[in-house]
Each structure stands twice: as structure tokens, then as C-alpha cells.
Amino acid sequence: MDIEKIIKTAVLSQEAYAVEETLCRIKLDANENPYPLPPGLKRMISERLEAVPLNRYPAPGSPGLRRDFARYYGVDEDRVLIGNGSDELIHILLTAVSASPSGSVMFPIPTFAMYKIGALNTGHDIIEVPLDDRLGLDTDSMLGAIADNQPSLIFLSYPNNPTGGCFDRDDMEKILETSNGLVVIDEAYFNFSGKTFLHDLDRWNNLVILRTLSKVGLAALRLGILIGHPSLVHHLNKVRLPYNVNIFSQIIGSLFVEHSGEFLEITDRIISGRKWLFNELTAIEGIHPYPSDANFILFSCFMDKDDVYGRLIDRGVLVKNFTAPDILKNCMRVTVGTEEENREFVEALKAVM
Ligand SMILES: Cc1ncc(COP(=O)(O)O)c(C=O)c1O
């Protein structure tokens, strides 16, 4: 059998999503929270996990978590869908919406890679609209593409990964207003931006919000939350695999809601770290950081950046390097680490430059 003959062309033409496996002492490449959980929370987690009935399937649809997050976000439970990370929720959306040959999934570029990968794997044609030179939305082009193609899904990462800033709210409202398809506002970095469309759900029935626990110290759980119109959630539930969220994540997710204040204490420290890093990067000759509302900073480098990237690795610091020949061609992205990690990164970068 010729396996390649039965695989979709869109899948054949892709590379698997590459996660950097370089082992470095200081890991600042994946927008994770660098701090381990406080011992009190860890203890509470292990106590709860002791009682887990491992011989049973977890509750399908995570009803407890759905209730908890509905309360947490102040919305009705029928607006909430829990996923195995927001990656899975993106995939569920892409699986549920109709494909159209003129382009059914639209997003600005550069942005989070999974929108494109997921769209191609689920058989969609994509419309990519480059950001303008201030890294904002090119709203006229996006509105033109909406009129021409009527995309079923538009993804807007808010703040945008990897550029770091939040798009202009008026631009986003125009897109919500004009689109007859779903507009997914991915608020993965909400805890660092404080900016949200959560309170606008009643204004637009095509508004979908994504949140995740991955950036606030619980990346290993794989827990994402979708908040949208009840009838959309109703249909998405048919696409969701029955036992998509394992029991450990369900239990710890509920604990997060109960103790969110303690889990989120760390965000202020990360925001202060971001300010410190930004100022330090601004002062390094040959480096230009872009303002960020997230837990990472994009910076361009006026030297051979692949060389700089390699030399940072030699010094034990891993950041994210970009290979695309677009607006990012001179850029790297650094995640805000602990105070010590930030200092070591800055020292290493100064030495390299
Ligand atoms: C914009 C954005 N959305 C979603 C995700 C993935 O979140 P999760 O870990 O919940 O799948 C990321 C991860 O980096 C991201 O940058």
C-alpha cells in the first residue's frame, strides 16, 4: 500500500509542529510560567488526587469544571466548553465549521501557529492577512477579505503571539460587526494584559472567547476554556471527544477556580519582570524590543540573529527563534522568566551582542 496516496494533500505538505528540544538551563522559549506552584497548593493537589477512581472514565464533558468556570467568568454554564488545552478547542471549532473553497479560515500573520496548522489539517483554505508595520491589524484588508470570502472562522490572538501587543479594540469591533462567521478572540495571555471581550458576549452572537490555564502555571494539565453562544457550544459538544479532559485535570482545574487568588499571585511578578526586561532590552545596542501585553517579549536583532540564538544556547539560555521570512525575519521571542533567569538572559545577550 502506498500510504502517501491516502493521506490528504494538505497534511502531506506540512511538517509536524516543531517543539524545540534543546536542553538549556534557562528555558525561555515556550511562554510558560517559570515559577513552580507554592507548596501549600501542591499539597492540596496531592490530597485531592489520592481519592481518584482510576478504574472509571472521567466525567464526559467535564460538568463540574464547566459549572466552576461558568461561575468564575460570570456566564451561564451553557456558554462554556472545556477542552484539552485551547489547542483542542481550536481544533473542535475547525472541525465543526463548514469549509469554503474561497477561504474559510482567516487570521492575521504572524500569529499563533496552530490556527494555520489546524485549518489545513481539517481541510480549510486559509486567508492570511499580514499585520501592518506597527504590528497592528490591517483592518481594511481584513474587511475586504471578509466581504470577498465570507470566512467561517476568524482567529485573533489578543494579545497576539508572537508580537505581544493587543490589537486595537475598535479594529476588532469592526471585524466582529462585519463578519457573518465566528470571530474567535484567543485570550491565552489575558492574565498579563487585563484586556478582554468577555463582557461583550451579548453584543455579538459570533464572538467566541478562548482562555487557557497554560500560561498561569498549569501548562501540564492541558486545560482550555471556550466561552461562546449557547447554540454554538451545543453543536461543538457533538464534535468534542467524550472523555477529552482527564480526571486529574478536571480535579486540579476545579481547585484552580477555588483558589484562583493563590494560583494567580505570581502574575504581578511576571508583569514586573516584563517591564524590567523591556527596559533592559531597550538599552542594549542592536536590540529592539516590541511593547508587550503578554508574558513574553518579541525583539529584533540587528546582528546575525541565528548566530546570536546559537550563542545564547551556548550560554545555557533558550529563547524562541523564528524561521519565517516575514516581518519576523530578524526577530526572536523571549518568555519572561524568574528574576534570576531574566538577569542571566540579559547578561548573556549583552555578552553575545
Ligand atoms: C495565542 C495562543 N493560544 C493558545 C495557545 C495554546 O494554549 P493551550 O496550552 O491551552 O493549548 C497558545 C500557546 O502558546 C497561544 O500562544
PDB file of all heavy atoms in Angstrom, residues 30-31 84-88 90 112 115 157 159 161 186 188-189 212-215 222-224, ligand 1:
ATOM      1  N   ALA A  30       8.897  29.027  25.527  1.00  0.00           N
ATOM      2  CA  ALA A  30       7.544  28.497  25.292  1.00  0.00           C
ATOM      3  C   ALA A  30       6.440  29.247  26.022  1.00  0.00           C
ATOM      4  O   ALA A  30       5.326  28.715  26.163  1.00  0.00           O
ATOM      5  CB  ALA A  30       7.512  27.012  25.659  1.00  0.00           C
ATOM      6  N   ASN A  31       6.707  30.457  26.491  1.00  0.00           N
ATOM      7  CA  ASN A  31       5.680  31.282  27.144  1.00  0.00           C
ATOM      8  C   ASN A  31       5.050  30.594  28.354  1.00  0.00           C
ATOM      9  O   ASN A  31       3.848  30.737  28.615  1.00  0.00           O
ATOM     10  CB  ASN A  31       4.579  31.689  26.149  1.00  0.00           C
ATOM     11  CG  ASN A  31       5.145  32.442  24.977  1.00  0.00           C
ATOM     12  OD1 ASN A  31       6.291  32.878  25.001  1.00  0.00           O
ATOM     13  ND2 ASN A  31       4.347  32.597  23.927  1.00  0.00           N
ATOM     14  N   ASN A  84      -9.068  20.022  26.044  1.00  0.00           N
ATOM     15  CA  ASN A  84      -7.747  19.530  26.406  1.00  0.00           C
ATOM     16  C   ASN A  84      -6.718  20.551  25.898  1.00  0.00           C
ATOM     17  O   ASN A  84      -6.050  20.353  24.887  1.00  0.00           O
ATOM     18  CB  ASN A  84      -7.579  18.165  25.733  1.00  0.00           C
ATOM     19  CG  ASN A  84      -6.348  17.446  26.191  1.00  0.00           C
ATOM     20  OD1 ASN A  84      -5.514  18.011  26.902  1.00  0.00           O
ATOM     21  ND2 ASN A  84      -6.207  16.209  25.788  1.00  0.00           N
ATOM     22  N   GLY A  85      -6.677  21.673  26.596  1.00  0.00           N
ATOM     23  CA  GLY A  85      -5.881  22.808  26.128  1.00  0.00           C
ATOM     24  C   GLY A  85      -6.706  23.610  25.136  1.00  0.00           C
ATOM     25  O   GLY A  85      -7.676  23.085  24.557  1.00  0.00           O
ATOM     26  N   SER A  86      -6.346  24.889  24.930  1.00  0.00           N
ATOM     27  CA  SER A  86      -7.116  25.614  23.911  1.00  0.00           C
ATOM     28  C   SER A  86      -6.781  25.105  22.526  1.00  0.00           C
ATOM     29  O   SER A  86      -7.555  25.284  21.595  1.00  0.00           O
ATOM     30  CB  SER A  86      -6.995  27.134  24.018  1.00  0.00           C
ATOM     31  OG  SER A  86      -5.787  27.531  24.525  1.00  0.00           O
ATOM     32  N   ASP A  87      -5.646  24.430  22.389  1.00  0.00           N
ATOM     33  CA  ASP A  87      -5.340  23.784  21.098  1.00  0.00           C
ATOM     34  C   ASP A  87      -6.489  22.879  20.660  1.00  0.00           C
ATOM     35  O   ASP A  87      -6.887  22.864  19.495  1.00  0.00           O
ATOM     36  CB  ASP A  87      -4.088  22.900  21.223  1.00  0.00           C
ATOM     37  CG  ASP A  87      -2.801  23.701  21.192  1.00  0.00           C
ATOM     38  OD1 ASP A  87      -2.859  24.913  20.897  1.00  0.00           O
ATOM     39  OD2 ASP A  87      -1.737  23.122  21.464  1.00  0.00           O
ATOM     40  N   GLU A  88      -7.012  22.098  21.610  1.00  0.00           N
ATOM     41  CA  GLU A  88      -8.099  21.189  21.228  1.00  0.00           C
ATOM     42  C   GLU A  88      -9.355  21.975  20.856  1.00  0.00           C
ATOM     43  O   GLU A  88     -10.074  21.616  19.926  1.00  0.00           O
ATOM     44  CB  GLU A  88      -8.433  20.202  22.358  1.00  0.00           C
ATOM     45  CG  GLU A  88      -9.385  19.131  21.845  1.00  0.00           C
ATOM     46  CD  GLU A  88     -10.187  18.405  22.905  1.00  0.00           C
ATOM     47  OE1 GLU A  88     -10.370  18.930  24.022  1.00  0.00           O
ATOM     48  OE2 GLU A  88     -10.658  17.292  22.601  1.00  0.00           O
ATOM     49  N   ILE A  90      -9.485  24.892  19.519  1.00  0.00           N
ATOM     50  CA  ILE A  90      -9.261  25.431  18.167  1.00  0.00           C
ATOM     51  C   ILE A  90      -9.592  24.332  17.149  1.00  0.00           C
ATOM     52  O   ILE A  90     -10.272  24.560  16.143  1.00  0.00           O
ATOM     53  CB  ILE A  90      -7.790  25.904  18.026  1.00  0.00           C
ATOM     54  CG1 ILE A  90      -7.558  27.130  18.915  1.00  0.00           C
ATOM     55  CG2 ILE A  90      -7.425  26.187  16.562  1.00  0.00           C
ATOM     56  CD1 ILE A  90      -6.091  27.507  19.121  1.00  0.00           C
ATOM     57  N   PHE A 112      -0.329  32.924  16.193  1.00  0.00           N
ATOM     58  CA  PHE A 112      -0.142  31.600  16.784  1.00  0.00           C
ATOM     59  C   PHE A 112      -0.243  30.517  15.696  1.00  0.00           C
ATOM     60  O   PHE A 112      -1.220  30.477  14.941  1.00  0.00           O
ATOM     61  CB  PHE A 112      -1.213  31.401  17.867  1.00  0.00           C
ATOM     62  CG  PHE A 112      -1.141  30.100  18.584  1.00  0.00           C
ATOM     63  CD1 PHE A 112       0.064  29.602  19.061  1.00  0.00           C
ATOM     64  CD2 PHE A 112      -2.297  29.356  18.800  1.00  0.00           C
ATOM     65  CE1 PHE A 112       0.127  28.394  19.733  1.00  0.00           C
ATOM     66  CE2 PHE A 112      -2.256  28.157  19.481  1.00  0.00           C
ATOM     67  CZ  PHE A 112      -1.030  27.671  19.943  1.00  0.00           C
ATOM     68  N   TYR A 115      -3.407  27.969  14.429  1.00  0.00           N
ATOM     69  CA  TYR A 115      -4.588  28.320  13.608  1.00  0.00           C
ATOM     70  C   TYR A 115      -4.390  27.781  12.189  1.00  0.00           C
ATOM     71  O   TYR A 115      -5.276  27.192  11.596  1.00  0.00           O
ATOM     72  CB  TYR A 115      -4.814  29.842  13.545  1.00  0.00           C
ATOM     73  CG  TYR A 115      -4.870  30.551  14.882  1.00  0.00           C
ATOM     74  CD1 TYR A 115      -4.391  31.852  15.019  1.00  0.00           C
ATOM     75  CD2 TYR A 115      -5.400  29.927  16.003  1.00  0.00           C
ATOM     76  CE1 TYR A 115      -4.454  32.520  16.239  1.00  0.00           C
ATOM     77  CE2 TYR A 115      -5.455  30.582  17.226  1.00  0.00           C
ATOM     78  CZ  TYR A 115      -4.968  31.878  17.340  1.00  0.00           C
ATOM     79  OH  TYR A 115      -5.008  32.528  18.546  1.00  0.00           O
ATOM     80  N   SER A 157      -5.592  36.551  18.057  1.00  0.00           N
ATOM     81  CA  SER A 157      -4.920  36.289  19.329  1.00  0.00           C
ATOM     82  C   SER A 157      -4.757  37.638  20.034  1.00  0.00           C
ATOM     83  O   SER A 157      -4.196  38.571  19.475  1.00  0.00           O
ATOM     84  CB  SER A 157      -3.567  35.632  19.017  1.00  0.00           C
ATOM     85  OG  SER A 157      -2.728  35.585  20.123  1.00  0.00           O
ATOM     86  N   PRO A 159      -3.647  39.256  23.741  1.00  0.00           N
ATOM     87  CA  PRO A 159      -2.574  39.775  22.889  1.00  0.00           C
ATOM     88  C   PRO A 159      -2.128  38.738  21.848  1.00  0.00           C
ATOM     89  O   PRO A 159      -2.351  37.543  22.019  1.00  0.00           O
ATOM     90  CB  PRO A 159      -1.424  40.018  23.872  1.00  0.00           C
ATOM     91  CG  PRO A 159      -1.964  39.858  25.245  1.00  0.00           C
ATOM     92  CD  PRO A 159      -3.234  39.101  25.157  1.00  0.00           C
ATOM     93  N   ASN A 161       0.278  36.392  19.871  1.00  0.00           N
ATOM     94  CA  ASN A 161       1.522  35.633  19.939  1.00  0.00           C
ATOM     95  C   ASN A 161       2.007  35.469  18.496  1.00  0.00           C
ATOM     96  O   ASN A 161       1.226  34.975  17.689  1.00  0.00           O
ATOM     97  CB  ASN A 161       1.239  34.258  20.573  1.00  0.00           C
ATOM     98  CG  ASN A 161       2.471  33.383  20.617  1.00  0.00           C
ATOM     99  OD1 ASN A 161       3.583  33.841  20.410  1.00  0.00           O
ATOM    100  ND2 ASN A 161       2.258  32.098  20.870  1.00  0.00           N
ATOM    101  N   ASP A 186      -8.730  34.903  21.067  1.00  0.00           N
ATOM    102  CA  ASP A 186      -7.958  33.954  21.867  1.00  0.00           C
ATOM    103  C   ASP A 186      -7.216  34.737  22.942  1.00  0.00           C
ATOM    104  O   ASP A 186      -6.219  35.402  22.678  1.00  0.00           O
ATOM    105  CB  ASP A 186      -6.995  33.224  20.907  1.00  0.00           C
ATOM    106  CG  ASP A 186      -6.172  32.165  21.602  1.00  0.00           C
ATOM    107  OD1 ASP A 186      -6.118  32.155  22.847  1.00  0.00           O
ATOM    108  OD2 ASP A 186      -5.552  31.352  20.893  1.00  0.00           O
ATOM    109  N   ALA A 188      -5.395  33.811  25.491  1.00  0.00           N
ATOM    110  CA  ALA A 188      -4.486  32.932  26.238  1.00  0.00           C
ATOM    111  C   ALA A 188      -3.633  33.723  27.237  1.00  0.00           C
ATOM    112  O   ALA A 188      -3.266  33.213  28.291  1.00  0.00           O
ATOM    113  CB  ALA A 188      -3.582  32.174  25.260  1.00  0.00           C
ATOM    114  N   TYR A 189      -3.335  34.982  26.909  1.00  0.00           N
ATOM    115  CA  TYR A 189      -2.430  35.779  27.759  1.00  0.00           C
ATOM    116  C   TYR A 189      -3.186  36.837  28.556  1.00  0.00           C
ATOM    117  O   TYR A 189      -2.597  37.819  29.002  1.00  0.00           O
ATOM    118  CB  TYR A 189      -1.333  36.413  26.869  1.00  0.00           C
ATOM    119  CG  TYR A 189      -0.540  35.342  26.162  1.00  0.00           C
ATOM    120  CD1 TYR A 189      -0.872  34.954  24.867  1.00  0.00           C
ATOM    121  CD2 TYR A 189       0.490  34.681  26.814  1.00  0.00           C
ATOM    122  CE1 TYR A 189      -0.190  33.928  24.236  1.00  0.00           C
ATOM    123  CE2 TYR A 189       1.190  33.655  26.192  1.00  0.00           C
ATOM    124  CZ  TYR A 189       0.843  33.290  24.907  1.00  0.00           C
ATOM    125  OH  TYR A 189       1.527  32.264  24.294  1.00  0.00           O
ATOM    126  N   THR A 212      -7.024  29.853  28.677  1.00  0.00           N
ATOM    127  CA  THR A 212      -6.265  28.640  28.995  1.00  0.00           C
ATOM    128  C   THR A 212      -5.635  28.775  30.374  1.00  0.00           C
ATOM    129  O   THR A 212      -5.399  29.906  30.830  1.00  0.00           O
ATOM    130  CB  THR A 212      -5.160  28.402  27.939  1.00  0.00           C
ATOM    131  OG1 THR A 212      -4.388  27.259  28.324  1.00  0.00           O
ATOM    132  CG2 THR A 212      -4.197  29.581  27.814  1.00  0.00           C
ATOM    133  N   LEU A 213      -5.364  27.641  31.005  1.00  0.00           N
ATOM    134  CA  LEU A 213      -4.604  27.684  32.267  1.00  0.00           C
ATOM    135  C   LEU A 213      -3.111  27.497  32.006  1.00  0.00           C
ATOM    136  O   LEU A 213      -2.308  27.483  32.939  1.00  0.00           O
ATOM    137  CB  LEU A 213      -5.100  26.603  33.235  1.00  0.00           C
ATOM    138  CG  LEU A 213      -6.554  26.688  33.691  1.00  0.00           C
ATOM    139  CD1 LEU A 213      -6.789  25.776  34.904  1.00  0.00           C
ATOM    140  CD2 LEU A 213      -6.960  28.112  34.055  1.00  0.00           C
ATOM    141  N   SER A 214      -2.735  27.350  30.734  1.00  0.00           N
ATOM    142  CA  SER A 214      -1.334  27.016  30.420  1.00  0.00           C
ATOM    143  C   SER A 214      -0.356  28.123  30.770  1.00  0.00           C
ATOM    144  O   SER A 214       0.801  27.867  31.038  1.00  0.00           O
ATOM    145  CB  SER A 214      -1.180  26.712  28.933  1.00  0.00           C
ATOM    146  OG  SER A 214      -1.890  25.545  28.621  1.00  0.00           O
ATOM    147  N   LYS A 215      -0.807  29.370  30.738  1.00  0.00           N
ATOM    148  CA  LYS A 215       0.143  30.470  30.924  1.00  0.00           C
ATOM    149  C   LYS A 215       0.218  30.933  32.375  1.00  0.00           C
ATOM    150  O   LYS A 215       0.993  31.809  32.713  1.00  0.00           O
ATOM    151  CB  LYS A 215      -0.234  31.656  30.011  1.00  0.00           C
ATOM    152  CG  LYS A 215      -0.433  31.243  28.554  1.00  0.00           C
ATOM    153  CD  LYS A 215       0.805  30.612  27.980  1.00  0.00           C
ATOM    154  CE  LYS A 215       0.543  29.936  26.647  1.00  0.00           C
ATOM    155  NZ  LYS A 215       1.711  29.198  26.172  1.00  0.00           N
ATOM    156  N   ARG A 222      -3.153  20.760  30.498  1.00  0.00           N
ATOM    157  CA  ARG A 222      -3.863  20.891  29.225  1.00  0.00           C
ATOM    158  C   ARG A 222      -5.328  21.227  29.492  1.00  0.00           C
ATOM    159  O   ARG A 222      -6.218  20.401  29.333  1.00  0.00           O
ATOM    160  CB  ARG A 222      -3.759  19.601  28.366  1.00  0.00           C
ATOM    161  CG  ARG A 222      -2.385  19.031  28.192  1.00  0.00           C
ATOM    162  CD  ARG A 222      -1.414  20.011  27.536  1.00  0.00           C
ATOM    163  NE  ARG A 222      -1.865  20.435  26.231  1.00  0.00           N
ATOM    164  CZ  ARG A 222      -2.096  21.708  25.894  1.00  0.00           C
ATOM    165  NH1 ARG A 222      -1.883  22.686  26.741  1.00  0.00           N
ATOM    166  NH2 ARG A 222      -2.503  22.029  24.685  1.00  0.00           N
ATOM    167  N   LEU A 223      -5.592  22.433  29.918  1.00  0.00           N
ATOM    168  CA  LEU A 223      -6.968  22.861  30.146  1.00  0.00           C
ATOM    169  C   LEU A 223      -7.254  24.175  29.449  1.00  0.00           C
ATOM    170  O   LEU A 223      -6.594  25.189  29.730  1.00  0.00           O
ATOM    171  CB  LEU A 223      -7.238  23.048  31.639  1.00  0.00           C
ATOM    172  CG  LEU A 223      -7.832  21.872  32.399  1.00  0.00           C
ATOM    173  CD1 LEU A 223      -8.120  22.267  33.833  1.00  0.00           C
ATOM    174  CD2 LEU A 223      -9.096  21.343  31.740  1.00  0.00           C
ATOM    175  N   GLY A 224      -8.184  24.130  28.517  1.00  0.00           N
ATOM    176  CA  GLY A 224      -8.603  25.336  27.820  1.00  0.00           C
ATOM    177  C   GLY A 224     -10.095  25.531  28.040  1.00  0.00           C
ATOM    178  O   GLY A 224     -10.831  24.564  28.301  1.00  0.00           O
TER     179      GLY A 224
HETATM  180  C1  LIG B   1      -2.352  32.520  21.386  1.00  0.00           C
HETATM  181  C2  LIG B   1      -2.284  31.135  21.946  1.00  0.00           C
HETATM  182  N1  LIG B   1      -3.400  30.398  22.009  1.00  0.00           N
HETATM  183  C3  LIG B   1      -3.382  29.156  22.500  1.00  0.00           C
HETATM  184  C4  LIG B   1      -2.215  28.580  22.950  1.00  0.00           C
HETATM  185  C5  LIG B   1      -2.217  27.165  23.398  1.00  0.00           C
HETATM  186  O1  LIG B   1      -2.803  27.044  24.623  1.00  0.00           O
HETATM  187  P1  LIG B   1      -3.012  25.622  25.289  1.00  0.00           P
HETATM  188  O2  LIG B   1      -1.776  25.291  26.020  1.00  0.00           O
HETATM  189  O3  LIG B   1      -4.192  25.848  26.193  1.00  0.00           O
HETATM  190  O4  LIG B   1      -3.325  24.627  24.208  1.00  0.00           O
HETATM  191  C6  LIG B   1      -1.019  29.297  22.897  1.00  0.00           C
HETATM  192  C7  LIG B   1       0.228  28.679  23.350  1.00  0.00           C
HETATM  193  O5  LIG B   1       1.305  29.174  23.267  1.00  0.00           O
HETATM  194  C8  LIG B   1      -1.055  30.609  22.376  1.00  0.00           C
HETATM  195  O6  LIG B   1       0.051  31.346  22.265  1.00  0.00           O
END
